[in-house]
Amino acid sequence: MIARPLFTLALVVSALATVQHASAQSTEGRPPQECGMTEEAARYGALEPGTVVTLQRHRFVSGDDNWDDQMARWLGRAARVTRVSGVDAAGCPGVRVDVDGGQWFWRVRDLGIGTGPQPRPETRAPSAAGIPQQCRQDEMRPNYGPISTGTEVVLGRHRMVDGDDNWADEMQQFVGRRARVVELSGIDGVGCPGVRVDIDSRQWFWRVRDLRLGSGGEAGAGGGGLVASTGVSSDHGRPASVVAWGSGGGGGGGLFGTGGSPTPQECGLTDATVQWGPIAVGASVTIGRHRPVNGDENWSAEMDPFVGRQARVQQLIGVDDQGCPVVHIDLDQGQWFWRVRDMTVP
C-alpha cells in the first residue's frame, strides 16, 4: 500500500526533471540577447574561439545597428569565431570571425550557432499604440499618430510599398540617427504620410511608418528601423516599376534588363527541394534587381552596376535565407549571391 504512492511520486519527480531538462535544451546554444553591458561584464554564452556560427544582419538597439553595408556580403555564411571582441557603443558583446579576416565586429545577439538553417533575427510585434503603418491615405487627413512638430524620432530606412520606397542614396547616412520633426509634410506618391526633420536641414521626406519615437516609444510593424534586419539597407532609389511575368512587358529595360524567358519564381525552398529551371552552370543570363520576399531583398548597393547586364552562371549555390535559389556569376568574379527568380534567360 505504501510502495505505490512512493513509486508514483518518483515518476512525477522524474517527469518534472525531464520537462526541466527539455526546457533547458530548447534554449541551449542561443546567444545572449542583452546589450547595455560593460567590457568586464560581457557575456558570450556558448561562443568562444573556434565556435562555428552563421552570420546575420544586426538588429537596431536604441537606434544603433552598428552595421556597414560592406558586411552584407557575408550574410548567411558559416564562419569560425577567432576571438571575443568586447562590447560596442550600445553595450552589445561581439566577436571577430575568420571569413572576413577579422575585419568586422559581429554582435553576439545576431549570430546563429552552427551551419544549419538559422532563424531570422527577431523583430518586435506591431503595437496598437505605435506609429501608423498605413499608406494610401487621404491627402486632406493624413494620420501621423503620435508624431507632431517637435517630436524626437529615430530615422528608419523606408520599406517598399507597392514597389515604391521613396528613397535616395543620400538619406542612408541619417538612418538610425535621432532627429526632431520640424514639419508635417503630407503624403507621398503612394499615400504614405511623411515629415521633415532638422538633422538633414529639411531636405528629405521621411515616411512616418519607418520612424521610431526617440523617447523609446513603440514603432510600427517590424519596429520601423528594425526592417534593416532583412540583410542590407540599400535599395538606393532604383526605378520602382516591376515587370509581371506573362504580362508581355518583359522586354526592354524595367526590372529584368533586356528581357527574356522567365526563370523559376518560387522561394521558401530548401537545398533539397531547390528548382533551377533553365539555369545551369555556363548558362547565359540577364541580371535583374532582386525583388523583396517577405521584406527581404538580399541586396547590396555594390550590386547595382550589374543590373541589366549579361553574365554566365559560375556556380549553383543553393538557397538564401528566404529559400530563394541563388547562384554565382562570372561578371562579378563570384562575389555576390544572385537570385534566380530575378534573372532571365536570353
Side-chain angles (χ1 to χ4, degrees), residues 39-215:
E39 294 274 347
E40 296 75 17
R43 294 196 303 112
Y44 300 92
L47 295 180
E48 58 184 17
T51 304
V52 175
V53 296
T54 303
L55 304 177
Q56 299 191 94
R57 176 68 165 85
H58 294 179
R59 291 164 288 170
F60 279 85
V61 176
S62 301
D64 174 16
D65 62 352
N66 192 8
W67 187 258
D68 188 288
D69 281 345
Q70 295 180 66
M71 299 168 70
R73 64 179 296 189
W74 310 108
L75 289 176
R77 296 273 299 273
R80 196 173 298 276
V81 175
T82 56
R83 64 184 173 93
V84 296
S85 199
V87 299
D88 62 13
C92 304
V95 298
R96 306 286 174 163
V97 298
D98 56 355
V99 297
D100 64 357
Q103 181 178 11
W104 302 105
F105 178 100
W106 295 90
R107 281 180 173 169
V108 165
R109 68 196 302 265
D110 297 304
L111 296 175
I113 296 180
T115 58
Q118 300 294 335
R120 296 292 292 164
E122 299 171 358
T123 57
R124 290 180 292 174
S127 167
I131 294 174
Q133 298 298 295
Q134 298 78 14
C135 289
R136 294 177 287 279
Q137 292 191 23
D138 184 343
E139 63 181 348
M140 302 303 294
R141 294 189 299 275
N143 178 15
Y144 298 96
I147 304 294
S148 61
T149 302
T151 302
E152 187 183 66
V153 295
V154 177
L155 303 176
R157 174 65 166 84
H158 292 182
R159 291 162 287 166
M160 289 281 187
V161 177
D162 296 336
D164 176 14
D165 62 353
N166 192 6
W167 189 258
D169 276 340
E170 293 84 353
M171 299 168 70
Q172 184 63 38
Q173 62 184 305
F174 301 107
V175 171
R177 296 178 61 182
R178 291 177 182 263
R180 197 166 295 279
V181 174
V182 294
E183 176 188 307
L184 304 180
S185 298
I187 61 175
D188 64 10
V190 289
C192 302
V195 299
R196 306 281 176 170
V197 297
D198 56 357
I199 196 171
D200 64 358
S201 302
R202 305 190 183 200
Q203 183 176 12
W204 302 107
F205 178 100
W206 295 91
R207 283 179 175 169
V208 165
R209 68 194 302 264
D210 297 302
L211 301 176
R212 290 183 296 128
L213 296 178
S215 59

